[in-house]
Amino acid sequence: MTATHFHPKGKMPSQYTIAAQQKQRALLPFEDKQDFEEAKHGFIAAPPYRKIMNDKGGVAWNMDNWDFLLQGQDYDSIHPSLQRQALLNMEYGLYEVTPGIYQVRGFDLANMTILRGKTGWILLDVLTVKETARAALKFVNDTLGYCPVVAVIISHTHGDHFGGIRGVVTDDDIAQGKIQILAPKGFMHEAISENLFAGNAMVRRKSYTYADLVPTNPFGHVDMAIGKAVASGDVGILPPTRSIEQPFEELEIDGVHMVFQNTPGSEAPVEMNTWFPDFKAFWAAENVAGTLHNILTLRGAPVRDAMLWSKYLNEAMYRFTDKAEVLFQAHNWPRWGKDRIQQVMRDQRDMYAHMNNQVLHLANQGVTINQIHNVYEPPKTLQQAWYARGYHGSYPHNSRAVIQRYLGFWDLNPATLIPLSPEDSAPLYVEMMGGAEKILPKARELYDAGQYHHAIEILNKLVYGEPTNQPAKDLLADCYEQLGYQSEGLALRNSFLSGAKELRDGVVPVHAAKPGSADFVRGTSTGMLLEYLAIQMDSRKAEGMQFKINLITPDNGEQFIVEMSNATLTTMAGYRAPDADLTLTINRSDLEVVMIGQAKLKDMLAQGKATMEGNPQVLMQIASTLVKFDPWFEVLPGTLARAELESKDELLNDDAPIETRP
Ligand SMILES: [Zn+2]
């Protein structure tokens, strides 16, 4: 292995890490090359460029970042199975799925899929940002001949599937009815709410678990399992012109016959698969991928239902895929031929059902959320199926998620019920272990023996006890790094490597894809905005405040009571309080202009577009409690250096209220 580490404190893979990787090379079926044939199948052309710029002058996308994967080297700093997946995701360009269906791959985290309708293109999912979506569509038109876009079908509520819509659709297209947008029932509400209320924490968690913090390098970011990475640029959202409401719904769009299968509560809160009988092609959205998916995404979201997910796949098998000639998805590559399709569908179905059932089987015998990841194993047959390996969702963290779903966080041990915060318990541990001078040599000994988990147990206590102890932080970083190298799961690898990076360098903010705030404000219901306001409020600043506000938005016929009592802001839709301290009347469309920042409320009042009756001081009282969230809060002790605080300002200026991630 010949590669240079990006970090001066970075370590090469240890002898134990190398041995672990070699063991995997011997255990796993590397002779099975079918995925490589499928990933290359139907290749039409790649563009002459590998970099896509964004409209702000930055780089939206650059396939050259991962060129090191194309060198034919085995890197001991990457789990061999993961390196294989990362190589498969290096496919770049336009591919034919079946005559009339095409995919652009390697332009963003997800694929853009293009169907030939009678008069134009029907797009299935439109990437994360305007810039990559626009480039993908242009490449399709340049290669296959120009057609207008007549419809966009959004499969689900994650940003890598809808965020690029502004690159393929204009407001005029919608206004003139030239382009239909279809999405599953509840799309706008779920797309926004999943990312709104805990959004700031999710930004931080996303940067950690997606390795935004570490360079692309054999020692850093190598892949995202369902694609290379998330593009950076303008993220938009447009409401569907038509919702798919029924569990199964048939439609003909531009001469193409489609049967939608709604799968709410699977990989996303709302999601849908589509069967194209004319093409004998089944679109599995993100419910099938070339990997085990997340039951819980570590960036944060409500835990998913593995059994429900499995049942949707089961029904799709019996209703559609037994007739299918191709199975294709929003991520990774398609599968052709009845046997192969049924094999993949069956194995993915069983993968989720097994995890659900066997984890609960063990939980019913007393295995807890703090043990299950060391106990649960998928069946041997699935361990040998590449697409059932844990690259995106990992078996260790997903098994914990199943227990979280059914039983919650507590292992029934009173010691872990309301434990001390780590910073409060650590000093006692450090003292009782004999201080840093005892802990560090022992940790070094464990590190040298390749016992990284054990070393972490004591070093983590020391770092919490002594947040300025840089030798302790460095050794802990070294342990995390080796575990990162050994992890097959990307979110595990990335989290270990991000932790190592922050222990070595402190918190260094990075840019991430930001949504176009105007689109998101327009898409957010007034009720949700008021609920988010209540989260932005620091209730400690609201002690003693007591008032009621009526908010009336005549243009959409809505009214709300917003009440402050007990330092808590609550919202009630559909009512008006007779004893309100203030009644604010403003059209929802004008409220949006204020929220987007294009006008101030006082301008709206001056222009007569808003009226207030009562005491306007209560608005000032609310304003005085609001806090602007900073996504670059400290995660590991002693990592938020003062110097870094200055450089964050520029990053925070353009932040939008909503962040959307896949
Ligand atoms: Zn996705």
Side-chain angles (χ1 to χ4, degrees):
M1 169 171 165
T2 56
T4 319
H5 201 293
F6 61 86
H7 198 282
K9 288 181 177 175
K11 302 293 185 295
M12 290 292 125
S14 69
Q15 55 172 307
Y16 305 100
T17 297
I18 294 170
Q21 315 294 38
Q22 272 164 354
K23 188 175 163 201
Q24 293 298 324
R25 288 186 192 113
L27 270 174
L28 291 167
F30 282 94
E31 66 288 351
D32 169 8
K33 302 276 188 200
Q34 192 166 357
D35 282 331
F36 285 93
E37 291 157 23
E38 288 165 336
K40 289 179 189 307
H41 183 114
F43 175 73
I44 296 171
Y49 55 85
R50 290 174 73 78
K51 192 192 272 190
I52 300 166
M53 301 305 288
N54 67 36
D55 292 353
K56 291 191 177 125
V59 178
W61 187 253
N62 188 358
M63 274 308 265
D64 287 338
N65 285 343
W66 301 278
D67 263 359
F68 61 88
L69 292 166
L70 303 174
Q71 311 300 317
Q73 269 199 61
D74 285 337
Y75 296 105
D76 288 323
S77 54
I78 310 173
H79 189 291
S81 163
L82 175 57
Q83 184 177 339
R84 178 187 175 279
Q85 181 80 355
L87 180 60
L88 282 160
N89 283 331
M90 288 303 286
E91 288 297 321
Y92 174 64
L94 179 62
Y95 298 76
E96 185 183 73
V97 173
T98 195
I101 304 182
Y102 309 91
Q103 281 189 325
V104 175
R105 299 190 208 126
F107 272 50
D108 203 320
L109 185 67
N111 304 324
M112 180 156 31
T113 301
I114 305 97
L115 264 90
R116 196 183 285 282
K118 214 188 307 179
T119 65
W121 298 130
I122 298 165
L123 308 182
L124 303 181
D125 292 350
V126 290
L127 309 183
T128 317
V129 298
K130 179 172 82 178
E131 294 88 343
T132 52
R134 190 172 56 204
L137 181 61
K138 181 174 188 307
F139 186 59
V140 168
N141 280 324
D142 289 350
T143 311
L144 300 176
Y146 173 83
C147 287
V149 174
V150 294
V152 176
I153 300 173
I154 304 291
S155 67
H156 68 286
T157 46
H158 295 150
D160 53 325
H161 303 263
F162 65 77
I165 188 119
R166 292 283 184 180
V168 297
V169 172
T170 66
D171 284 330
D172 280 353
D173 293 330
I174 304 287
Q176 294 169 26
K178 286 188 198 161
I179 299 183
Q180 292 190 62
I181 302 176
L182 289 91
K185 181 185 178 182
F187 171 77
M188 284 304 277
H189 177 81
E190 296 296 344
I192 288 174
S193 71
E194 194 186 17
N195 298 294
L196 178 62
F197 300 127
N200 191 66
M202 285 185 185
V203 172
R204 185 72 164 106
R205 297 174 70 97
K206 184 263 175 188
S207 69
Y208 223 76
T209 58
Y210 278 55
D212 294 344
L213 311 166
V214 293
T216 53
N217 186 283
F219 304 95
H221 184 284
V222 296
D223 198 56
M224 271 319 304
I226 52 171
K228 296 310 301 177
V230 182
S232 164
D234 265 7
V235 183
I237 188 168
L238 288 172
T241 59
R242 175 167 187 157
S243 274
I244 302 303
E245 302 278 329
Q246 302 305 318
F248 292 93
E249 203 167 314
E250 295 194 33
L251 270 187
E252 196 184 294
I253 295 169
D254 200 34
V256 178
H257 188 205
M258 311 176 183
V259 187
F260 297 102
Q261 178 192 15
N262 260 313
T263 64
S266 55
E267 189 268 331
V270 301
E271 182 151 356
M272 60 186 188
N273 299 331
T274 311
W275 165 239
F276 297 95
D278 312 336
F279 295 93
K280 291 194 165 46
F282 183 68
W283 161 254
E286 197 164 332
N287 287 313
V288 172
T291 168
L292 169 73
H293 211 291
N294 281 313
I295 300 307
L296 179 72
T297 167
L298 293 176
R299 64 148 164 94
V303 65
R304 297 165 186 167
D305 185 340
M307 183 43 73
L308 186 61
W309 194 332
S310 173
K311 283 181 185 297
Y312 289 134
L313 296 181
N314 209 357
E315 187 156 19
M317 278 180 72
Y318 288 100
R319 204 182 258 255
F320 305 122
T321 61
D322 57 342
K323 304 183 281 280
E325 288 173 2
V326 62
L327 162 69
F328 64 118
Q329 316 89 218
H331 291 280
N332 307 119
W333 49 93
R335 319 285 182 176
W336 288 268
K338 285 190 173 55
D339 293 347
R340 175 67 164 170
I341 292 168
Q342 291 300 78
Q343 175 197 16
V344 173
M345 291 292 290
R346 189 189 314 113
D347 288 354
Q348 292 237 327
R349 173 197 68 186
D350 295 347
M351 168 175 88
Y352 296 115
H354 183 275
M355 171 169 285
N356 186 82
N357 297 341
Q358 186 65 10
V359 166
L360 291 178
H361 176 90
L362 293 164
N364 277 318
Q365 296 178 82
V367 180
T368 73
I369 195 168
N370 293 329
Q371 298 161 320
I372 190 67
H373 49 284
N374 295 319
V375 179
Y376 174 74
E377 270 196 16
K380 300 266 180 300
T381 43
L382 289 182
Q383 289 183 32
Q384 292 290 308
W386 290 113
Y387 47 76
R389 304 288 309 176
Y391 308 114
H392 194 57
S394 79
Y395 285 94
H397 90 257
N398 273 351
S399 59
R400 300 187 78 180
V402 173
I403 294 197
Q404 179 180 322
R405 176 173 189 87
Y406 285 89
L407 298 170
F409 65 88
W410 189 40
D411 61 4
L412 223 51
N413 179 348
T416 65
L417 184 54
I418 45 166
L420 288 168
S421 294
E423 61 273 25
D424 295 330
S425 67
L428 179 60
Y429 277 98
V430 172
E431 184 195 330
M432 298 310 292
M433 284 191 279
E437 54 277 20
K438 281 273 204 278
I439 298 171
L440 268 175
K442 181 65 187 176
R444 166 70 57 192
E445 189 187 312
L446 290 166
Y447 174 83
D448 288 342
Q451 291 184 276
Y452 305 120
H453 286 286
H454 288 80
I456 287 167
E457 284 286 328
I458 59 173
L459 281 168
N460 184 49
K461 295 284 189 280
L462 179 54
V463 168
Y464 268 101
E466 297 179 8
T468 57
N469 188 333
Q470 194 59 45
K473 287 194 278 189
D474 286 345
L475 188 54
L476 183 55
D478 291 347
C479 295
Y480 285 162
E481 184 169 65
Q482 296 299 323
L483 289 181
Y485 294 161
Q486 292 181 26
S487 294
E488 186 177 24
L490 246 323
L492 304 186
R493 175 189 173 90
N494 291 343
S495 302
F496 282 125
L497 296 184
S498 297
K501 174 80 165 53
E502 293 204 339
L503 285 170
R504 287 168 176 161
D505 292 345
V507 177
V508 182
V510 294
H511 284 282
K514 289 275 183 189
S517 59
D519 266 4
F520 282 82
V521 167
R522 277 192 286 267
T524 307
S525 70
T526 308
M528 274 158 64
L529 284 165
L530 292 170
E531 285 164 29
Y532 186 61
L533 196 68
I535 292 167
Q536 285 181 297
M537 188 189 98
D538 182 346
S539 90
R540 290 166 295 192
K541 296 180 180 170
E543 291 287 357
M545 290 183 188
Q546 180 100 31
F547 50 80
K548 281 182 200 169
I549 300 170
N550 289 324
L551 173 64
I552 300 161
T553 54
D555 59 341
N556 66 357
E558 289 186 338
Q559 55 184 8
F560 300 86
I561 302 170
V562 181
E563 181 170 355
M564 178 80 87
S565 66
N566 294 309
T568 306
L569 200 66
T570 55
T571 297
M572 186 68 231
Y575 290 84
R576 195 184 299 206
D579 57 343
D581 296 273
L582 174 73
T583 295
L584 171 62
T585 307
I586 181 170
N587 278 334
R588 162 73 203 203
S589 57
D590 291 325
L591 189 62
E592 283 169 13
V593 174
V594 172
M595 288 183 312
I596 291 164
Q598 290 169 347
K600 292 225 159 24
L601 183 58
K602 69 173 195 296
D603 306 326
M604 291 293 180
L605 290 163
Q607 293 166 28
K609 289 183 175 172
T611 59
M612 286 203 290
E613 273 173 62
N615 175 15
Q617 281 305 315
V618 295
L619 291 181
M620 303 305 293
Q621 283 191 282
I622 293 182
S624 73
T625 66
L626 297 181
V627 167
K628 189 170 185 177
F629 293 131
D630 171 2
W632 297 104
F633 52 79
E634 186 174 85
V635 174
L636 299 176
T639 54
L640 196 60
R642 292 310 304 175
E644 262 88 50
L645 284 172
E646 326 292 319
S647 66
K648 282 188 309 190
D649 292 345
E650 172 242 341
L651 285 145
L652 287 173
N653 283 340
D654 65 337
D655 77 343
I658 297 141
E659 180 80 15
T660 298
R661 286 152 305 278

